[in-house]
Every structure is written in structure tokens, then in C-alpha cells.
């Protein structure tokens, strides 16, 4: 019997996973972890997004996993290439916390909520239902998704663990 | 925009910045706690976002992080990161409570403000040394404290860097508290992360051309 592998996704990174393997990203602060999956096919993709919009990029060639708008489009392309069906896709998301409270509120400090809004907007445009979310607050999150069950496991330092 | 090519001269200058800044901060810390603080030679690295989180102990490891924004002529971010046992140790010494622990369910306001103040003093002395050396006006924001996963703490301070690329230049100075013969490998870190555009300003004010 093959052992189950946990695929790790870094910061501004995206990867695919097939059941029975699971996929994880660690230490989401203001970043957002978004999972798009086809439950019946047992495949999922996870992106660790840092910024809401690729319009913010100050570089010509950029990493698509870093921005909400480009990451979600890319995730869907990769999933379809792996055999997922467009109308069976669902999504879950976690993260977008505000780790530090500053009195002088520069826009960059509100980046967590802005990331969440941007991800939701993009999912809506692509008609991908959002079946669960754990966002905002001021705690870091480590998340792990099981494409076989569709459950997203969320761990925090101060508020324990739960599943959505 | 991309980072311009760094020569060994550029890296030496950035190391010297870390040396001067963190040296001054370590002196403040040493006075504050009345203890010897061993500072390591600064490391200047061009690192991916995952690598900088590794420097702080790994994405999942819990740390105490004081975060400041530097405003002025060479803006950037600064982190003062402590592993939890080291943070507890500093707090015990500052508030005089031998029993203090983060695992105590009753939050201790005094402990948190002591740690925040520690970050404030250290960052202030780091930046004033840096400001004197470069003759640049640099102003620290009020420090913000978070005790959480290192990945979540650091990741939230890399927004400006991530707009320009997938790397950051970090000036990392680690230090050890002298604990006599049981010198533990618990390390605190100062991370100075100038915004990509600030490097030109820093080198220019020190009289070094970009292509030197």
C-alpha cells in the first residue's frame, strides 16, 4: 500500500493534489489559502495568495499564484487539465487575517480583508460555489485539505482546530 | 522593476548597516536587562518568501514578533522576532515575575506591553544608529506585537516586496542571551527589509554607485 503524501504549498505558490493525498499550506496571516476542487474526481488545487489584484504588480513577468485574480484563473485551468469538470468545481477558503493593528491605517495594512474580497469576487465571476470559509480575525492559520472528503482542516495557535 | 545587481561591496555595506544597527540595539537590550547579549555577524541574503519564514523558525512555529514600518527617505519594514521561550525569559526579567508563561490562560497585559516596549526600544536604537550612519531621515511607526505562527507574522509584512518580485533582501542579525554555561541555541532575530526602491537611496547616500 502506498503511503499518503501531504503536498506542501509555499507562500505565493500553487499545487495540485489527488486523493488519497492531502494538500497543506502553513502560516496564513493576511494571505489567503483558496482550495478549488472536484469532489467526485478527488482532485483539488490550493493557492497561497498574497495580494488581491495583479494590477498591483510592479514587475512585467509575475508569478500568477501571488495575486487573487490570476491565481484563481490559473487554478481552474490546471484543474481542468487534470480532468476536473467545469460544472463540478467547488471552493473553500481561509485566511485574510489582520495580524497587526496599526492606528495609521495604510491600505496595505487592510490587505487581509481585501484579499478575501478579491477571491470571492473572482469565484463569483467564474460561477464556482464557495462551500466554506474561515476568514478575518487576527490569528494565523495552517490549513490542510482532503480532496477525498472535501473537508478543510484549519489549525490556529490560540483558537484550536476545526473543520469546514 | 527588478533588483539591480549587487556586488560584494553592496553586500558589505548592508552588512555594516546590520552591524551598526543591531549592535546599538544589543547594547540597549544589554543595559535594559543588565546581561551580556551576544550578537552574531549580520547576514545579508536575497531570499524567497519561504526562506525568510524558515529563518524565523518555520511557518508553523510559534514566535513573538514585533513589527514596525519604517517611514522616511528609505522606507521598509522591520521585524524583531523571538522564539517563545526567549520572549518569556525577557518578559520575566522585565516585569520581575519569575512565573510568567504564555501558556497561562489569563492574559497578562503588563507582559504584552513590556514586550512591545522592548521592541520599541530596540527598533528605536537600531534605526537611530542607521539614521546617523546614512544621514537619512528614518521614522519608525508605533510597534505592533503578535504572538502567532512565524509564517503569518512575516508573511503579513512582505506586501511591498511581493509587488516587486518573489524575493526580499533581508539584513538578518541574530543574537543570543548569555546564559552562562548553559548557552542555549535560542535565537532572536532582527530583520531589516528595506523596500526594493530604498536600496538606491541607501547606496547613493553612502557614496556608492549602483554599478560599483
Amino acid at each position: 500500500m502506498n503511503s499518503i503524501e501531504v503536498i506542501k504549498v509555499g507562500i505565493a505558490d500553487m499545487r495540485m493534489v489527488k486523493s488519497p493525498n492531502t494538500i497543506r499550506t502553513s502560516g496564513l496571516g493576511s494571505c489567503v489559502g483558496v482550495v478549488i476542487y472536484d469532489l467526485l474526481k478527488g482532485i483539488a488545487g490550493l493557492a497561497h495568495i498574497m495580494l488581491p489584484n495583479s494590477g498591483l504588480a510592479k514587475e512585467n513577468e509575475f508569478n500568477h499564484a501571488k495575486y487573487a485574480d490570476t491565481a484563481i484563473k490559473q487554478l481552474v485551468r490546471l484543474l481542468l487539465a487534470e480532468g476536473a469538470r467545469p460544472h463540478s468545481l467547488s471552493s473553500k477558503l481561509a485566511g485574510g487575517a489582520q495580524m497587526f493593528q496599526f492606528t495609521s491605517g495604510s491600505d496595505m495594512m487592510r490587505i487581509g480583508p481585501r484579499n478575501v474580497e478579491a477571491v470571492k469576487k473572482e469565484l463569483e465571476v467564474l460561477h464556482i460555489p464557495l462551500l466554506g470559509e474561515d476568514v478575518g480575525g487576527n490569528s494565523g492559520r495552517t490549513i490542510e485539505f482532503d480532496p477525498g472528503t472535501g473537508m478543510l482542516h484549519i489549525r490556529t495557535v490560540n483558537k484550536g482546530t476545526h473543520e469546514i | 522593476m527588478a533588483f539591480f545587481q549587487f556586488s560584494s561591496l553592496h553586500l558589505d555595506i548592508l552588512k555594516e548597516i546590520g552591524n551598526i544597527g543591531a549592535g546599538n540595539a544589543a547594547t540597549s537590550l544589554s543595559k535594559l536587562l543588565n546581561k551580556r547579549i551576544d550578537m552574531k555577524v549580520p547576514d545579508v541574503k536575497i531570499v524567497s518568501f519561504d526562506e525568510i519564514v524558515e529563518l524565523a523558525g518555520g511557518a508553523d512555529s510559534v514566535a513573538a514578533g514585533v513589527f514596525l514600518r519604517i517611514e522616511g527617505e528609505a522606507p521598509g519594514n522591520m521585524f524583531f522576532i523571538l522564539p517563545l521561550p526567549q520572549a518569556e525569559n525577557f518578559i520575566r526579567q522585565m516585569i520581575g515575575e519569575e512565573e510568567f508563561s504564555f501558556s497561562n490562560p489569563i492574559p497578562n497585559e503588563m507582559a504584552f506591553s513590556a514586550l512591545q516596549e522592548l521592541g520599541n526600544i530596540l527598533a528605536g536604537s537600531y534605526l537611530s544608529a542607521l539614521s546617523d550612519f546614512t544621514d537619512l531621515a528614518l521614522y519608525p511607526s508605533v510597534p505592533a506585537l503578535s504572538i502567532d505562527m512565524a509564517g503569518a507574522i512575516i508573511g503579513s509584512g512582505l506586501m511591498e516586496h511581493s509587488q516587486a518580485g518573489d524575493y526580499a533582501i533581508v539584513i538578518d542579525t541574530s543574537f543570543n542571551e548569555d546564559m552562562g554555561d548553559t548557552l542555549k541555541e535560542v535565537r532572536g532575530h532582527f530583520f531589516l527589509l528595506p523596500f526594493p526602491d530604498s536600496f538606491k537611496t541607501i547606496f547613493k547616500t553612502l557614496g556608492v554607485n549602483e554599478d560599483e
Side-chain angles (χ1 to χ4, degrees), chain A residues 10-11 26-30 50-51 56-59 63 66-67 99-102 108-109 111 138-142 155-158, chain B residues 1 49-50 53 59-60 62 65 67 69 79 141-142 144-149 151-153 155-156 158-160 162-166:
Chain A
I11 300 171
S26 295
L28 290 165
S30 60
M50 292 185 92
L51 292 164
L56 292 166
K58 293 179 183 167
E59 42 183 351
N63 166 4
K66 196 158 52 182
Y67 302 95
M99 298 304 295
F100 298 99
Q101 316 293 328
F102 280 99
M108 275 296 164
M109 287 294 105
I111 204 78
N138 47 26
S139 294
R141 296 170 172 92
T142 286
R155 190 173 71 78
T156 61
V157 171
N158 300 311
Chain B
M1 67 141 274
F49 302 142
D50 288 320
V53 169
D60 274 315
V62 182
F67 174 45
R69 300 175 64 80
F79 287 99
S141 70
V142 174
L145 171 68
S146 175
I147 293 165
D148 213 308
M149 299 168 183
I153 292 175
S156 303
L158 294 173
M159 297 310 139
E160 286 84 356
S162 64
Q163 280 176 271
D166 289 320

Side-chain angles (χ1 to χ4, degrees), chain A residues 118-161:
Chain A
V119 167
K120 286 186 178 173
K121 196 176 133 204
E122 196 61 37
L123 290 171
E124 215 175 285
V125 169
L126 298 175
H127 305 291
I128 300 171
L130 176 60
L131 300 187
E133 60 179 297
D134 179 37
V135 297
N138 47 26
S139 294
R141 296 170 172 92
T142 286
I143 61 171
E144 188 170 332
F145 184 79
D146 181 345
T149 62
M151 293 308 283
L152 183 66
H153 182 87
I154 299 156
R155 190 173 71 78
T156 61
V157 171
N158 300 311
K159 300 193 176 89
T161 63

Side-chain angles (χ1 to χ4, degrees), chain A residues 24 29 39 49 59 82 92 107 116 119 139 142:
Chain A
R24 177 196 297 164
L39 189 58
I49 293 163
E59 42 183 351
E82 290 285 332
K92 289 189 178 177
D107 232 21
V116 173
V119 167
S139 294
T142 286

Side-chain angles (χ1 to χ4, degrees), chain B:
Chain B
M1 67 141 274
F3 290 122
F4 56 85
Q5 283 298 308
F6 279 76
S7 66
S8 59
L9 177 62
H10 290 129
L11 295 177
D12 282 345
I13 286 171
L14 295 178
K15 260 187 204 172
E16 189 54 21
I17 282 175
N19 226 345
I20 289 171
N24 208 36
T27 308
S28 304
L29 182 58
S30 176
K31 278 187 193 152
L32 195 69
L33 301 175
N34 201 17
K35 283 215 164 155
R36 211 180 103 207
I37 301 290
D38 283 335
M39 200 189 73
K40 307 285 176 230
V41 176
D43 227 346
V44 177
K45 285 189 185 137
I46 301 174
V47 288
S48 71
F49 302 142
D50 288 320
E51 284 166 335
I52 179 168
V53 169
E54 282 307 314
L55 289 177
D60 274 315
S61 74
V62 182
V66 177
F67 174 45
L68 292 104
R69 300 175 64 80
I70 301 164
E71 276 142 32
E73 292 178 89
N77 288 336
M78 184 176 203
F79 287 99
F80 172 54
I81 299 275
L82 290 170
L84 273 201
Q86 180 80 78
E88 283 176 336
N89 199 15
F90 283 159
I91 288 173
R92 285 183 200 128
Q93 294 174 55
M94 286 179 76
I95 66 175
E97 272 182 40
E98 279 306 308
E99 305 297 306
F100 173 78
S101 158
F102 285 116
S103 50
N104 188 329
I106 302 156
N108 184 331
E109 284 293 324
M110 172 101 101
F112 284 91
S113 54
L115 196 56
Q116 201 159 348
E117 188 51 27
L118 181 71
N120 204 8
I121 292 168
L122 298 187
S125 53
Y126 192 121
L127 282 184
S128 67
L130 181 53
S131 208
D132 287 347
F133 176 60
T134 57
D135 211 16
L136 291 170
L138 302 171
Y139 313 102
S141 70
V142 174
L145 171 68
S146 175
I147 293 165
D148 213 308
M149 299 168 183
I153 292 175
I154 304 271
S156 303
L158 294 173
M159 297 310 139
E160 286 84 356
H161 300 88
S162 64
Q163 280 176 271
D166 289 320
Y167 292 87
I169 295 171
V170 59
I171 303 169
D172 173 16
T173 318
S174 57
F175 57 90
N176 279 88
E177 184 186 359
D178 185 3
M179 300 201 202
D181 28 303
T182 58
L183 192 72
K184 286 194 242 163
E185 267 305 291
V186 274
R187 283 198 178 180
H189 288 270
F190 285 105
F191 290 152
L192 179 67
L193 293 153
F195 293 160
D197 288 335
S198 297
F199 287 97
K200 278 183 190 174
T201 317
I202 292 171
F203 292 133
K204 199 175 160 211
T205 187
L206 294 171
V208 182
N209 285 329
E210 272 175 47
D211 48 8
E212 252 176 79

Side-chain angles (χ1 to χ4, degrees), chain A residues 53-95:
Chain A
N53 192 300
S54 56
L56 292 166
K58 293 179 183 167
E59 42 183 351
N60 298 328
E61 305 258 323
F62 60 83
N63 166 4
H64 286 243
K66 196 158 52 182
Y67 302 95
D69 55 340
T70 51
I72 288 171
K73 288 191 187 90
Q74 179 80 0
L75 266 186
V76 171
R77 268 196 297 272
L78 290 172
L79 282 162
L80 298 183
E82 290 285 332
R85 298 146 309 163
H87 297 290
S88 311
L89 295 178
S90 307
S91 62
K92 289 189 178 177
L93 75 103

